[in-house]
């Protein structure tokens, strides 16, 4: 009876399957399905590789192994590993820190497939001694996550919350290079969400509103800033207007002469070109972010489309945090 070597009913998430019998007879039938490759290994080394088709194992199609067994036609020892070349989907999620050491959580989906089965077996399966599909899957997920953590931590919190598309694209390219080293192709990566603590969300909010990253980052806590700005003056509106520039070293805007540069979206942004006042009828719309969830919201929105929170505004339309008595941007009193 002829031995048939075949990966029967591969599971949805199975990347590899090791044929349990390691004594192979010449003349055995090897069935390799579409999107599969069969790799012959011995002592951790890869010999012959056979692609899709029905193969009768002969000295012709296994030349390297045949050479190894010394041209003998008796049964030989080899490990046969089937590798699936299909595309797989994985979910990820983890925690890292931004450049400013802000804690960030992230999660999403990625898609990958084996691009180079020999490199993959060398680096992952044989290299890590992972002969079980679920161990391989775990290894790949951990590898992905480690790369994600490392690459994300090179960005600032403003980038993560305001320029997530740009960050995703750049991180994806780096992760693709990481995967290539394992013989894998990272087909796509989707970052579905990033999040941070309440405190950092507020800090981010102040940063976006005031444009002064340094002042905000130097505050021990944002509560301190909010407390200062929200102080009931018992006095006049004027207190708030004076207080704001003190905190952020940024002149109160409405009263300033025309030479004043427009507020920057954040400290790292390149300075806007100085324009003659006549040709600049209005300030360019500044990207607004929700102080509650940190996501960009449409200009003038009354409610955040992401978290549904009501967006409070000063009479001049600036977003103000809950409980603030004065606008942190223009100093106007909040009713
Ligand atoms: Zn929101
Ligand atoms: Zn205002």
């Amino acid at each position: 009876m002829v031995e048939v070597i075949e990966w029967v009913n591969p599971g949805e998430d199975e990347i590899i399957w090791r044929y349990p019998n390691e004594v192979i007879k010449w003349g055995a039938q090897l069935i390799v399905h579409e999107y599969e490759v069969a790799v012959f290994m011995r002592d951790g080394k890869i010999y012959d590789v056979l692609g899709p088709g029905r193969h009768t194992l002969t000295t012709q199609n296994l030349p390297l192994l045949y050479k190894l067994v010394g041209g003998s036609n008796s049964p030989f020892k080899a490990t046969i590993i089937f590798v699936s070349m299909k595309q797989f989907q994985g979910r990820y999620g983890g925690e890292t820190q931004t450049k400013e050491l802000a804690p960030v959580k992230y999660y999403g989906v990625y898609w990958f497939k084996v691009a180079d089965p020999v490199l993959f077996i060398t680096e992952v399966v044989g290299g890590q001694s992972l002969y079980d599909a679920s161990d391989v899957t775990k290894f790949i997920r951990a590898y992905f996550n480690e790369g994600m953590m490392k690459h994300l931590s090179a960005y600032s919190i403003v980038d993560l919350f305001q320029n997530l598309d740009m960050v995703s694209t750049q991180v994806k390219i780096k992760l693709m290079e990481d995967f290539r080293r394992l013989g894998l192709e990272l087909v796509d990566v989707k970052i579905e969400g990033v999040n941070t603590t309440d405190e950092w969300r507020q800090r981010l909010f102040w940063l976006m509103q005031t444009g002064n990253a340094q002042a905000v980052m130097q505050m021990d806590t944002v509560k301190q800033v909010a407390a200062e700005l929200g102080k009931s003056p018992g006095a006049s509106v004027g207190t708030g207007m004076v207080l704001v520039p003190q905190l952020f070293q940024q002149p109160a805007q409405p009263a300033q002469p025309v030479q004043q540069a427009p507020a920057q979206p954040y400290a790292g942004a390149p300075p806007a070109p100085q324009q003659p006042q006549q040709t600049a009828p209005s300030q360019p719309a500044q990207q607004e972010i929700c102080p509650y969830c940190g996501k960009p919201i449409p200009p003038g929105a009354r409610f955040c489309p992401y978290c549904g929170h009501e967006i409070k505004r000063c009479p001049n339309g600036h977003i103000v945090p809950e409980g603030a008595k004065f606008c942190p941007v223009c100093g106007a009193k909040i009713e």
Side-chain angles (χ1 to χ4, degrees):
M1 194 185 136
V2 178
E3 184 184 15
V4 176
I5 303 167
E6 181 185 10
W7 187 1
V8 182
N9 296 327
E12 184 117 326
D13 295 322
E14 287 181 335
I15 303 173
I16 58 151
W17 182 67
R18 176 196 205 168
Y19 182 61
N21 185 359
E22 299 213 323
V23 179
I24 315 295
K25 292 187 194 84
W26 295 108
Q29 294 289 303
L30 173 73
I31 298 169
V32 183
H33 298 274
E34 225 184 323
Y35 299 109
E36 282 175 20
V37 167
V39 178
F40 288 76
M41 287 178 83
R42 193 159 140 159
D43 303 322
K45 202 166 170 282
I46 293 170
Y47 288 88
D48 299 294
V49 178
L50 293 178
R54 176 184 275 269
H55 310 273
T56 302
L57 299 183
T58 66
T59 60
Q60 300 294 305
N61 53 21
L62 298 178
L64 299 178
L65 270 170
Y66 187 64
K67 206 188 264 177
L68 182 76
V69 296
S72 146
N73 277 322
S74 45
F76 61 95
K77 229 182 144 261
T79 306
I80 302 176
I81 293 171
F82 287 84
V83 179
S84 172
M85 304 298 282
K86 283 192 286 209
Q87 184 169 305
F88 295 93
Q89 187 193 63
R91 298 204 63 92
Y92 65 90
E95 286 180 51
T96 188
Q97 289 185 320
T98 63
K99 261 196 324 211
E100 312 93 338
L101 306 182
V104 171
K105 287 185 180 174
Y106 57 87
Y107 61 93
V109 199
Y110 63 110
W111 293 266
F112 65 97
K113 59 185 179 187
V114 175
D116 181 340
V118 171
L119 184 58
F120 174 64
I121 297 261
T122 309
E123 292 292 320
V124 179
V125 179
Q128 309 284 329
S129 297
L130 303 174
Y131 294 98
D132 181 80
S134 68
D135 290 342
V136 172
T137 305
K138 263 185 232 156
F139 175 86
I140 293 173
R141 191 192 301 131
Y143 182 81
F144 176 92
N145 226 12
E146 208 175 284
M148 193 68 158
M149 274 166 72
K150 186 181 79 194
H151 299 314
L152 280 183
S153 67
Y155 291 90
S156 70
I157 190 157
V158 174
D159 281 337
L160 286 187
F161 281 84
Q162 255 227 314
N163 306 316
L164 190 58
D165 285 348
M166 180 267 288
V167 173
S168 306
T169 308
Q170 292 178 357
V171 166
K172 197 192 293 181
I173 291 167
K174 289 184 183 129
L175 288 166
M176 281 172 175
E177 286 162 17
D178 296 340
F179 265 55
R180 208 167 293 142
R181 261 176 252 139
L182 299 185
L184 292 169
E185 182 192 340
L186 185 59
V187 179
D188 205 1
V189 181
K190 203 171 146 206
I191 300 180
E192 289 180 326
V194 288
N195 206 346
T196 185
T197 58
D198 280 352
E199 184 171 319
W200 275 96
R201 264 201 305 273
Q202 287 183 43
R203 210 178 275 236
L204 180 66
F205 167 77
W206 289 109
L207 211 146
M208 307 292 306
Q209 292 296 301
T210 64
N212 192 333
Q214 219 186 346
V216 174
M217 292 307 165
Q218 277 165 359
M219 293 287 167
D220 281 343
T221 69
V222 282
K223 288 192 191 89
Q224 197 185 327
V225 188
E228 282 300 293
L229 288 167
K231 239 180 216 167
S232 173
S236 63
V237 175
T239 314
M241 297 182 89
V242 174
L243 183 63
V244 170
Q246 274 175 349
L247 275 173
F248 301 110
Q249 293 118 42
Q250 196 187 7
Q253 284 170 356
Q256 288 305 305
V258 293
Q259 285 90 344
Q260 211 55 57
Q264 292 305 314
Y266 59 96
Q274 285 283 354
Q275 288 183 345
Q277 204 224 356
Q278 289 79 1
T279 61
S282 64
Q283 295 251 331
Q286 208 174 305
Q287 176 74 67
E288 293 184 331
I289 66 153
C290 169
Y292 307 100
C293 70
K295 296 219 165 73
I297 54 174
R302 309 284 307 173
F303 292 91
C304 170
Y306 296 98
C307 70
H309 215 292
E310 186 182 357
I311 307 294
K312 292 221 159 71
R313 291 177 187 274
C314 82
N316 296 318
H318 304 121
I319 299 180
V320 295
E322 221 161 34
K325 303 260 191 317
F326 296 94
C327 171
V329 179
C330 69
K333 190 168 191 211
I334 314 294
E335 294 308 316

